[in-house]
Amino acid sequence: MSTFDVINPATEEVITSVPSLSLEETDAAIARAHAAFPSWRAVAPGDRARLLRRFAAIVDEHLEELAQLEVANAGHTISNARWEAGNVRDVLDYYAGAPERHTGLQIPVPGGINATFHEPLGVVGIIVPWNFPMPIAGWGFGPALAAGNTVVLKPAEITPLTAVRLGELALEAGIPEGVFQVLTGKGSVVGWRFVTHPSVAKVCFTGSTEVGTRIMAGCAEQVKKVTLELGGKSANVVFADADLELAAARAPYGVFDNAGQDCCARSRILVEASAFDRFMELLEPAVKGVVVGDPTSEVTEMGPLVSAAQREVVTSFVPDGAPIAFQGECPQGPGFWFPATVLAPVAPGDRAVEEEIFGPVVVVMPFRDEADAIRLANDTPYGLSGSIWSRDIGRALRTARGIDAGNLSVNSHSSVRYWTPFGGFKQSGIGRELGPDALNSFSDVKNVFISTED
Ligand code: NAD
C-alpha cells in the first residue's frame, strides 16, 4: 500500500506514516457513505442530536491527546492546539442543537397549505488545508452531519493525524459506520474524486485560491454545490486616535499567530501617517517580545512553520536587501523556523504587499485619512478579514462598512466565533461557514403544496 510520511515540523523527525488512498479505495469509501445516507437521514432529530452531543463529549475527553497530536504534527503551540480541539467540541455541541430546530416555513397561499422542508444533500466531501486541521474539519463535518448528510473528509497530506483520530472518536461515540469517514491521500486523487464523483452532492473546500478555482470549475460540470474558503491579505487599520499602546501590543498576535499560517492574518498593517513613527516605536518591542520556540512549552506563542517547503515560500518574500524594519529571534538547528519579520517602508507592487505570505512576515504602510485607509485595505483581490483600531466608534464602523471583507473586528483581532458566520468576499471565497446559517449550505429547501380544495 502506498503511504506518506508525517513529519514533526519542530524537530524534522518522522512521526509515522499514513496510507495514501487510491482512486478505487476512495470510490469504495464514497459508496459506503452513499449507502449510509438513507438510514442516517432517517435518524430522528433528537437521536441525531444525542449522537452529536456524545461525539462532542468524547472529543472533550480526548482534548489533551488531540492537542498533543496537533503540536507534534503541525507544530502548533500547545495553548493554540488546546483551543483548536476545544473548538471541535464546541462546534459539535452547537450544531447538536440544530437537528431539533431546523424548522421550515408555513407560507400563506390560496387553495391550500404550503410548507418548506430542509432536506439533506447526501454525501458531502470536505477538503481541509494544513494550517488549522482540527477547526476547519469541524466547521465542515459538524453542521453537515447535523443536517443529515454523510461525510467523507480529506485532511491535508502533511497534517492528517488529528482528523484520523476524530474519525475514530466518531465511531466510539456511536456515529454509525460509513456516516463520517476520514480519507488520507493526495489532493489530486482523493480530493479531486470528491469533485468528479457523481454521488458526492457537495464539496466544501478550504485552501488556496489557486486550487479553489479549479474545484469550482470542476464542480460546475455537474452543477455540484460548493463552498470555498480561500486565501486572504487582510489589513489591520490603525487610526491616530486609537489606543496606540494597545494596538501595537496586539498587532503581532493579529498576524504572527500560528506562525502567520492563518487565512485571516492581518499581514498588512496600515497606520495613519501622523501616528506612524510612534506606532513603529511601540511595535518593535512587541514583535521582539513574541515568545518563539518549543511548541510543547506552555509559554510559547509562536512555533515553527509547517514544512520545509512552506519555509522556502516565506523566505522568498524576504530576499537579500528586503526592507526589514526589525525582526524577532527564532531557534537555530532542526525545525522549520522563521523569525517574526516586519517590512517597512515597502514599495507599492512589492510581492510582500500584494500576495498572501502565510508566514510571520508583515508589511507596515502609512495612510492619509479614512478614505485612503479604505482604498488601501481594498487594494487586493482578497476580502476575508481585517481589523480597525480607533476610539471613534462612528469612524470604526464606517471603515468596517467600507472594507470589502467578510469578517472584521474593531479594537480586536478576533475573526472566528462559532456562533457567527465566517467566510470571504471577492477571491477569498463563496458561502459562509459557522453560525446559524451554515446548516442551510448543507441542505436544500423543498417546497410542498397541499391542496385543501374539495
Ligand atoms: P491547498 O489549496 O494546496 O490544499 C488544500 C487542500 O486541498 C489539501 O487537502 C490538498 O490536498 C487539497 N487539494 C490540493 N489539490 C487538489 C485538487 N486538485 N483537488 C482536490 N483537492 C486538492 O492549500 P494549503 O496549502 O493546504 O492551505 C493553505 C491555503 O489555505 C492558504 O491559501 C490559506 O489562505 C487557505 N486557507 C483559507 C481559509 C479560509 O477559511 N478562508 C482557512 C485556512 C486556510
Side-chain angles (χ1 to χ4, degrees):
M1 191 208 310
S2 155
T3 61
F4 48 85
D5 288 341
V6 179
I7 294 169
N8 181 326
T11 64
E12 301 185 34
E13 283 160 3
V14 175
I15 312 168
T16 183
S17 63
V18 297
S20 183
L21 298 190
S22 65
L23 200 59
E24 294 69 31
E25 289 165 317
T26 307
D27 281 356
I30 293 171
R32 283 194 294 276
H34 188 61
F37 174 59
S39 49
W40 178 243
R41 76 179 298 183
V43 172
D47 293 336
R48 205 185 306 143
R50 225 181 326 277
L51 283 168
L52 291 174
R53 280 194 200 100
R54 207 184 295 158
F55 189 5
I58 289 190
V59 169
D60 192 46
E61 282 164 27
H62 292 80
L63 196 140
E64 189 60 23
E65 179 201 335
L66 287 162
Q68 295 289 352
L69 210 50
E70 204 66 283
V71 173
N73 188 171
H76 290 195
T77 63
I78 183 63
S79 52
N80 274 13
R82 285 182 184 133
W83 180 89
E84 291 159 18
N87 182 257
V88 175
R89 172 204 55 210
D90 293 345
V91 167
L92 281 167
D93 264 331
Y94 178 73
Y95 287 107
E100 294 168 292
R101 294 173 178 81
H102 201 197
T103 51
L105 297 172
Q106 184 267 307
I107 302 169
V109 289
I113 288 175
N114 200 100
T116 65
F117 299 85
H118 296 284
E119 304 288 11
L121 302 172
V123 181
V124 171
I126 299 173
I127 303 174
V128 180
W130 47 256
N131 63 329
F132 286 111
M134 278 193 280
I136 292 173
W139 305 350
F141 69 69
L145 294 173
N149 303 282
T150 56
V151 169
V152 283
L153 181 142
K154 196 203 86 64
E157 289 86 330
I158 56 175
T159 56
L161 299 187
T162 48
V164 169
R165 191 71 186 114
L166 286 166
E168 294 165 357
L169 296 177
L171 289 173
E172 243 177 77
I175 305 282
E177 294 272 350
V179 169
F180 174 44
Q181 299 173 83
V182 175
L183 314 183
T184 54
K186 286 189 182 164
S188 56
V189 178
V190 181
W192 189 248
R193 192 64 183 134
F194 295 176
V195 175
T196 59
H197 199 299
S199 294
V200 177
K202 165 163 183 158
V203 175
C204 182
F205 172 83
T206 305
S208 60
T209 299
E210 186 196 344
V211 175
T213 308
R214 272 187 273 147
I215 302 256
M216 189 172 174
C219 285
E221 303 257 322
Q222 295 171 28
V223 198
K224 189 173 286 197
K225 292 181 169 44
V226 63
T227 301
L228 301 174
E229 298 287 359
L230 309 174
K233 189 70 190 171
S234 299
N236 175 9
V237 179
V238 182
F239 285 100
D241 70 359
D243 178 339
L244 284 186
E245 279 74 14
L246 190 64
R250 295 278 168 81
Y253 302 97
V255 58
F256 301 143
D257 189 52
N258 205 30
Q261 303 164 120
D262 182 339
C263 48
C264 293
R266 278 68 166 166
S267 56
R268 295 179 298 149
I269 305 178
L270 311 179
V271 186
E272 191 164 356
S274 59
F276 192 88
D277 291 346
R278 176 71 186 134
F279 182 82
M280 289 299 271
E281 272 171 28
L282 293 165
L283 184 64
E284 182 164 357
V287 167
K288 291 185 171 167
V290 175
V291 183
V292 184
D294 178 4
T296 63
S297 161
E298 307 272 339
V299 296
T300 297
E301 295 177 317
M302 187 173 110
L305 292 166
V306 75
S307 65
Q310 188 59 17
R311 185 169 59 181
E312 257 178 55
V313 170
V314 176
T315 305
S316 76
F317 285 93
V318 191
D320 286 343
I324 297 175
F326 37 86
Q327 210 165 23
E329 296 197 345
C330 68
Q332 305 300 315
F336 308 123
W337 303 98
F338 199 91
T341 301
V342 176
L343 301 179
V346 277
D350 186 316
R351 276 182 68 224
V353 176
E354 301 205 328
E355 294 176 28
E356 181 175 50
I357 300 174
F358 235 52
V361 179
V362 67
V363 299
V364 193
M365 301 160 76
F367 66 83
R368 280 188 312 277
D369 54 19
E370 196 177 309
D372 196 35
I374 293 171
R375 182 188 64 77
L376 276 172
N378 285 337
D379 189 16
T380 165
Y382 295 114
L384 188 58
S385 188
S387 304
I388 300 109
W389 292 76
S390 170
R391 286 193 171 98
D392 179 339
I393 292 302
R395 164 185 287 165
L397 250 179
R398 281 195 305 274
T399 307
R401 296 297 301 274
I403 295 177
D404 298 328
N407 314 276
L408 292 152
S409 45
V410 172
N411 297 329
S412 145
H413 291 305
S414 150
S415 295
V416 170
R417 293 161 303 270
Y418 61 85
W419 310 271
T420 60
F422 176 78
F425 278 34
K426 302 197 284 187
Q427 290 186 26
S428 287
I430 290 185
R432 288 294 177 272
E433 302 195 282
L434 299 176
D437 298 338
L439 291 173
N440 294 338
S441 58
F442 290 109
S443 53
D444 240 345
V445 174
K446 182 178 287 169
N447 189 49
V448 177
F449 172 74
I450 306 155
S451 169
T452 52
E453 281 168 7
D454 284 340

